[in-house]
Amino acid sequence: MSGRRALALNDRRRPLRTALLVATGLLTVVTIVLAVVVSAFVSGLAHRYDAGRTVIESAFPDADRPAPAEDAEDAVNVLLIGSDSRARSDPDQDRAGGGRSDVLMLAHVSGDRRHVSLVSILRDSWVDVPGHGSAKINAAYSWGGVPLTVQTVEQLLDVRIDHVAEIDFAGFAGMTDALGGVTVESSTAFDARGHHFRVGPNHLDGAAALAFVRERYAFADADRTRVRNQQAFLRALVQRVVSEDTLTSPGRIRQFVSSSSEYLSVDPGLDFSTLVGLGWSLRDFRAQDLDTVTLPSAGGGTSDDGQSYVRVDRSAVSSLSIALRSDDVSGWVATHAG
């Protein structure tokens, strides 16, 4: 190739190289800007979460806890407590002001992060409360707050709880409104607190959601239907949170974090980085991967002092304990759902 032809070819290639360099530079700038924006957004979420939540400094019992399960070392067990504790008006933060836990669920996140199983425990379940003898399980919260509730559930299921999240009932309304409402499936028609719910899908705002999860007197089986409604609400909430409408709306995400944190109390280990790490590990999680089941019971009974209670099915609880410790809760749920 002659010098003149090579020079001409270089002249033609120069604009292309220049364009590529400019494009690469712009891409680098855009990447840096996006990184800064994302960092600022995440930092803002962290501030909202940390500023809003309350830390339960003594969330776990001091002794007599089950050892971590070797076959489920990557699984995570979170105890979810719904109550009327009004954390902001509890300066001692001992959660022992006489309130009771009206929602009690164990969330088991599988080690492979493919499933989350919610095991609801009926509030009237008759169990052994450490240091107090036999009683309804929700009495543990009244007698000893979160630590005694954790100890009672750990003893009942023979499984170690990794984290605790307590939310005041008002938080259910705040979370719902922050997401623009949720659509729940109701198994029965009923009226509660000025709201009517029909069989099938119901789009709820915060006030309606609160009525939906709290009502128990409208049902012949009282707490059983209420627990099913609470499970239906949480399923709808998860579906709404992971929906495209929410994930592509920074403002909605910020509002959800703020609304949730305001009524949330957690153990010291459930900080923002831990929460983000858990969320990232569940990035492929979808609402259909959420299993819900109620701790099996074996009829009812009456205590010596006249309390009506729910008798726990000890055989089923024993098999659930094995499933929890072997990280096969989804398999257990498949045979005990209902």
Side-chain angles (χ1 to χ4, degrees), residues 95-108:
R95 305 298 186 277
R100 295 197 176 222
S101 53
D102 285 337
V103 178
L104 198 58
M105 296 182 180
L106 181 72
H108 178 84

Side-chain angles (χ1 to χ4, degrees), residues 124-202:
D124 292 339
S125 297
W126 195 251
V127 301
D128 179 65
V129 178
H132 296 271
S134 296
K136 294 179 181 180
I137 196 167
N138 69 332
Y141 185 94
S142 178
W143 288 331
V146 172
L148 185 58
T149 301
V150 170
Q151 187 175 19
T152 302
V153 174
E154 285 188 335
Q155 179 175 281
L156 173 66
L157 299 176
D158 189 29
V159 64
R160 193 178 184 90
I161 291 171
D162 302 297
H163 294 293
V164 180
E166 179 191 359
I167 187 166
D168 191 287
F169 265 120
F172 285 87
M175 289 188 295
T176 302
D177 285 334
L179 293 171
V182 299
T183 299
V184 301
E185 290 283 338
S186 178
S187 60
T188 185
F190 66 98
D191 295 298
R193 296 172 172 82
H195 300 276
H196 174 72
F197 305 97
R198 63 176 184 272
V199 175
N202 295 261

Side-chain angles (χ1 to χ4, degrees), residues 1-19:
M1 181 182 295
S2 67
R4 183 175 297 177
R5 290 178 60 190
L7 184 60
L9 183 59
N10 285 334
D11 288 342
R12 289 196 297 271
R13 289 177 175 174
R14 187 173 293 113
L16 178 59
R17 287 197 297 267
T18 301

Side-chain angles (χ1 to χ4, degrees), residues 94-123:
D94 58 5
R95 305 298 186 277
R100 295 197 176 222
S101 53
D102 285 337
V103 178
L104 198 58
M105 296 182 180
L106 181 72
H108 178 84
V109 183
S110 65
D112 60 12
R113 299 302 187 260
R114 293 181 180 178
H115 295 279
V116 175
S117 303
L118 287 178
V119 182
S120 296
I121 304 174
L122 295 173
R123 54 175 278 169

